[in-house]
Amino acid sequence: MLETGKKEFWFVVGSQHLYGEEALQEVKSHAEQLVASLNNSGSLPYPIVLQELAVTADTITKIMKEVNYRDEVAGVITWMHTFSPAKMWIHGTKLLQKPLLHLATQYNESIPWKTIDMDFMNLNQSAHGDREYGFINARLNKKNKIVVGYWERPEVQQQVADWMDVAVAYNESFAIKVARFGDNMRNVAVTEGDKVEAQIQFGWTVDYFGIGDLVAVIDAVTDEDVEKTFAEYKELYTFDYGDYDEKTWEAHVKVQAKQEIGLRRFLEAGGYTAFSSNFEDLYGMQQLPGLAVQRLMAEGYGFAGEGDWKTAAIDRLLKVMAHNKDTGFMEDYTYELAAGKESILQSHMMEVDPTLAQTKPRVVVSPLSMGDREDPARLVFDGKAGEGVVVSMADFGTHYKLLVNEVSCFEPTEEAPNLPVARVLWEVKPNFHDGVQAWIEAGGGHHTVVSLALTTDQILTWAKLVGLEVALIK
């Protein structure tokens, strides 16, 4: 489900005719070696494709127009091998509608002091070209990314790789479609938002469907399909019957299997990549989807509860950026306030993302006080440890704001035998008191998306691309 189609990045090398044809041939040779080496490094998640040398305004404009037209091209990486007069770049750069990375590097790592002459200086003057090119991007307010350093170094390649993931997610954002099954939870403020502005600024399409529309698809699922999905559960998870007899327990779990199949079919039919549900709007449903939602999140669908379409869309966006690794919907539940142990227990009524699971998930059936339906099944597990970043989107009426906090997740050391939901624990940065206070003061919501696979810099890079205000807590 996470498949976004074949993607590539175009690599454009800046130079000019001033230094002669022989110099340009050497520039081309260096560029071919650099691109081949990067593609063979295994460091980049997507291939880069070298384009003809950018030595005239017409060539640059032609390349940028083609980038906009080709869906498989997710962005442009530029390298100023020599001095490339920036007025040549103005028209093409203004036309470019996809992410741009300026790789501030040079072919040689060190200065060859024993042989250096003016021919070498003229040919290898990236330092000169970077400043000319950087000026025009700044003047055009291009919101481009700049990566500085020698191109063979792993840390430089990692920065390029991180940006590629952001660029692909940026493009995918315009294809995000959120299906809202029911409306927002009544009387809750933070889950509301301007859907038209979200589509203008972020590209998200948000559509409402009555629960009856979904129920009709779920009811059409056959018993044979349910049994196949239930067999998958047996292979993947531990069955925890609790106080239920086996027959009753299986009947409840199979309701979730039926919902999972119906939800997937509904989303696939409409091209939806994210969705939300609401326990206050379950007309015609036997259970609130729990295990069903968790299974779809594990496939790459974005989700948030209580009709929170903004968080569902952010969840999908970050899943694409993180290749669906260690990234999911979360909610602040309760504090640990013991001195030296200050942290926050993260969970939800059921729908905690299995991509965050450290322990093998158990299928548990347990009563749910919200929703007034049958006891629903869900996956229960403990979350992973690691450094992460948590985000929340808020609509302030005049504009959207993204809240970003760095966190340290840790594995639970205490058993919780009576807690029938998955749990994730984290410490906030810079410390509990300042971090929580800053989050609340900035208007951060209780619904979030956490990722142990992404960096703060990647989140900020995306926010810059879409012109989004950010409150950074770190």
Side-chain angles (χ1 to χ4, degrees), residues 8-9 11 31-50 77 151 157 164:
E8 64 186 35
F9 289 81
F11 196 89
E32 289 171 345
Q33 293 175 54
L34 185 149
V35 168
S37 180
L38 289 177
N39 280 331
N40 293 329
S41 69
S43 300
L44 305 185
Y46 303 94
I48 54 178
V49 180
L50 180 62
I77 301 173
W151 55 276
Q157 294 178 6
M164 283 180 159

Side-chain angles (χ1 to χ4, degrees), residues 18 44 55 146 158 187 207 223 328 338 374 402 423 459:
L18 180 64
L44 305 185
V55 293
I146 302 170
Q158 185 60 55
N187 296 315
D207 294 332
D223 291 342
E374 291 181 359
L402 192 70
R423 54 179 178 161
I459 305 299

Side-chain angles (χ1 to χ4, degrees), residues 163-180:
W163 172 82
M164 283 180 159
D165 286 335
V166 175
V168 169
Y170 170 83
N171 287 284
E172 177 65 16
S173 187
F174 294 94
I176 289 177
K177 293 179 65 178
V178 184
R180 300 170 61 227

Side-chain angles (χ1 to χ4, degrees), residues 217-232:
V217 179
I218 292 174
D219 287 347
V221 175
T222 66
D223 291 342
E224 181 182 4
D225 289 333
V226 170
E227 292 298 332
K228 289 179 181 178
T229 299
F230 186 75
E232 289 183 32

Side-chain angles (χ1 to χ4, degrees), residues 25-207:
Q25 287 303 315
E26 194 162 357
V27 169
K28 182 179 179 181
S29 175
H30 289 176
E32 289 171 345
Q33 293 175 54
L34 185 149
V35 168
S37 180
L38 289 177
N39 280 331
N40 293 329
S41 69
S43 300
L44 305 185
Y46 303 94
I48 54 178
V49 180
L50 180 62
Q51 303 302 301
E52 61 181 302
L53 294 183
V55 293
T56 68
D58 289 344
T59 299
I60 294 167
T61 299
K62 182 184 70 172
I63 291 172
M64 299 310 182
K65 284 182 177 179
E66 194 71 11
V67 168
N68 291 338
Y69 173 74
R70 292 180 178 268
D71 290 340
E72 73 273 16
V73 183
V76 175
I77 301 173
T78 53
W79 171 37
M80 300 303 110
H81 189 296
T82 67
F83 183 73
S84 182
K87 288 168 71 174
M88 296 193 309
W89 291 85
I90 292 174
H91 187 51
T93 302
K94 285 179 65 178
L95 292 176
L96 181 63
Q97 297 175 335
K98 293 183 179 178
L100 172 65
L101 182 142
H102 174 191
L103 181 57
T105 190
Q106 64 184 19
Y107 177 72
N108 55 296
E109 182 176 20
S110 300
I111 298 172
W113 292 112
K114 292 182 179 180
T115 59
I116 189 170
D117 56 18
M118 282 310 300
D119 288 338
F120 182 93
M121 292 277 277
N122 287 334
L123 180 66
N124 299 281
Q125 50 174 310
S126 294
H128 188 183
D130 285 336
R131 283 148 180 78
E132 171 76 355
Y133 180 66
F135 162 75
I136 208 63
N137 285 335
R139 174 126 184 217
L140 294 174
N141 191 28
K142 201 56 193 173
K143 301 176 182 177
N144 59 297
K145 179 72 174 178
I146 302 170
V147 172
V148 179
Y150 188 53
W151 55 276
E152 285 192 320
R153 292 190 179 279
E155 63 271 20
V156 171
Q157 294 178 6
Q158 185 60 55
Q159 290 181 65
V160 175
D162 288 346
W163 172 82
M164 283 180 159
D165 286 335
V166 175
V168 169
Y170 170 83
N171 287 284
E172 177 65 16
S173 187
F174 294 94
I176 289 177
K177 293 179 65 178
V178 184
R180 300 170 61 227
F181 297 114
D183 203 357
N184 298 78
M185 181 179 174
R186 292 184 282 274
N187 296 315
V188 176
V190 75
T191 57
E192 297 287 353
D194 185 336
K195 303 176 190 67
V196 174
E197 182 58 31
Q199 187 162 0
I200 293 170
Q201 189 171 1
F202 313 124
W204 305 339
T205 299
V206 184
D207 294 332

Side-chain angles (χ1 to χ4, degrees), residues 367-382:
L368 184 69
S369 60
M370 291 81 78
D372 192 27
R373 291 293 187 273
E374 291 181 359
D375 299 350
R378 74 293 303 268
L379 296 175
V380 177
F381 53 83
D382 287 338

